[in-house]
Amino acid sequence: MTHMASVDAEGVKAGLLLEAIEAQRKLADDSLRRLKAQTRALATIVRESVRQTLAEEISGLATESRQATEAMRAARRAASARMALWSSGVTALTSTVSVAVISWWLPSQAQVEALRATRDRLAAAVASLEQRGGRIDLRQCGGNGNRLCVRVDRGAPAFGQNGEYLVVKGY
């Protein structure tokens, strides 16, 4: 009997130990389930926090992007206005300088009239000279070039008592 009682006591101890192990396993499973639930909740919180932070950053980036775009547009408008002003100024200056140079360089109306009168006088003088022998072709002739020669019209008659005068070519 003692052996039997000893086996029963051992069986009871083993049963109690198995019960304790089963209770520990259930506690561990329960703790693991709660840990998984908390991990899921924490992951959800972290995801939401990341989403919110990302949304805030994207919103801030969009705002900064709009501000940068407006600043660039304003700079472009200012540069265009400056360019138009400079172009107008350069055009006005160039035109003014051109008009000043032309008015300084070109003769006045009185000078043009005086030049026309001088031209007419000179043209009349040239015509008179041509009638009085201005078209005569004179050259230096002879071995030393010390003789004065004239081109004559060989087909024209000679004049003078002895025919010593000949008609000059072109008259």
Side-chain angles (χ1 to χ4, degrees):
M1 238 216 153
T2 52
H3 180 34
M4 207 43 170
S6 155
V7 171
D8 279 340
E10 287 293 318
V12 169
K13 277 185 186 177
L16 287 176
L17 187 58
L18 281 175
E19 256 182 55
I21 290 174
E22 186 60 28
Q24 289 296 321
R25 187 189 63 75
K26 284 183 181 179
L27 280 174
D29 283 345
D30 188 42
S31 293
L32 189 58
R33 259 192 313 277
R34 281 186 304 190
L35 183 60
K36 284 181 182 180
Q38 287 177 351
T39 302
R40 279 192 297 269
L42 186 59
T44 302
I45 290 170
V46 168
R47 243 189 323 268
E48 188 56 36
S49 176
V50 166
R51 253 190 229 125
Q52 184 178 5
T53 302
L54 185 59
E56 288 172 1
E57 288 298 319
I58 289 174
S59 175
L61 185 61
T63 301
E64 288 177 11
S65 177
R66 276 192 298 275
Q67 289 171 347
T69 301
E70 284 303 314
M72 291 297 288
R73 285 181 182 151
R76 184 178 64 197
R77 284 190 299 268
S80 294
R82 244 184 268 125
M83 182 58 101
L85 183 64
W86 271 101
S87 296
S88 298
V90 168
T91 301
L93 180 64
T94 304
S95 298
T96 302
V97 168
S98 297
V99 167
V101 166
I102 287 171
S103 66
W104 174 73
W105 186 63
L106 292 178
S108 67
Q109 188 66 27
Q111 290 171 323
V112 169
E113 291 301 322
L115 289 171
R116 283 185 183 143
T118 302
R119 181 198 63 200
D120 293 343
R121 274 195 330 272
L122 291 174
V126 166
S128 173
L129 286 173
E130 282 181 350
Q131 288 175 352
R132 294 184 300 168
R135 290 184 304 203
I136 294 176
D137 186 9
L138 291 175
R139 305 274 167 126
Q140 296 291 325
C141 302
N144 295 335
N146 56 0
R147 306 268 328 230
L148 189 58
C149 300
V150 65
R151 185 174 300 220
V152 295
D153 185 358
R154 300 249 182 214
F159 295 95
Q161 282 183 341
N162 299 323
E164 67 271 14
Y165 291 103
L166 299 174
V167 176
V168 175
K169 182 111 175 148
Y171 286 95

